[in-house]
Amino acid sequence: MSGSPRDTAMKLATLSTSFIALLLTTSSAWELQANGHVYTGNAPKGCQSINIPRGSSISWTGSKGAETLQLFNVQGKCSQVYRTVMGVGDINASNNIYGYMVKP
């Protein structure tokens, strides 16, 4: 015997909500793609070394409290921002990039 259409709809809604919650908890808050590499995280990240040659394509997706990518073009320093990408964006590196930081 099967349940009523309302019972079936409730079960599907519960299953759908559970699936969406699972996706949200397992997905990354940010993703940086550059120079054939993918970097991901679930929270803001302080200054990190990276080597992105001039002319490379950079793709950024940020959300959930880690929306902003800052890029730095002075080796060993994260004090002067070279480029900033907020939310989602694609850019080309017009200089070599040596560091990045993810901010809320």
Side-chain angles (χ1 to χ4, degrees), residues 77-93:
K77 293 186 179 180
C78 286
S79 56
Q80 185 176 348
V81 177
Y82 160 67
R83 299 280 295 267
T84 300
V85 183
M86 296 177 73
V88 176
D90 296 318
I91 63 171
N92 289 320

Side-chain angles (χ1 to χ4, degrees), residues 24-38:
L24 291 175
T25 58
T26 59
S27 65
S28 295
W30 60 267
E31 180 177 279
L32 168 62
Q33 296 180 17
N35 200 26
H37 299 288
V38 177

Side-chain angles (χ1 to χ4, degrees), residues 11-27:
K11 288 177 185 176
L12 287 174
T14 301
L15 181 61
S16 175
T17 302
S18 298
F19 181 73
I20 291 170
L22 177 64
L23 283 177
L24 291 175
T25 58
T26 59
S27 65

Side-chain angles (χ1 to χ4, degrees), residues 30-95:
W30 60 267
E31 180 177 279
L32 168 62
Q33 296 180 17
N35 200 26
H37 299 288
V38 177
Y39 307 88
T40 61
N42 291 317
K45 191 168 205 85
C47 185
Q48 300 292 306
S49 294
I50 196 168
N51 185 12
I52 303 173
R54 184 175 60 139
S56 297
S57 294
I58 300 167
S59 179
W60 168 254
T61 303
S63 64
K64 298 183 199 163
E67 294 92 352
T68 304
L69 171 69
Q70 291 183 331
L71 300 169
F72 305 92
N73 64 347
V74 177
Q75 199 162 9
K77 293 186 179 180
C78 286
S79 56
Q80 185 176 348
V81 177
Y82 160 67
R83 299 280 295 267
T84 300
V85 183
M86 296 177 73
V88 176
D90 296 318
I91 63 171
N92 289 320
S94 54
N95 279 322

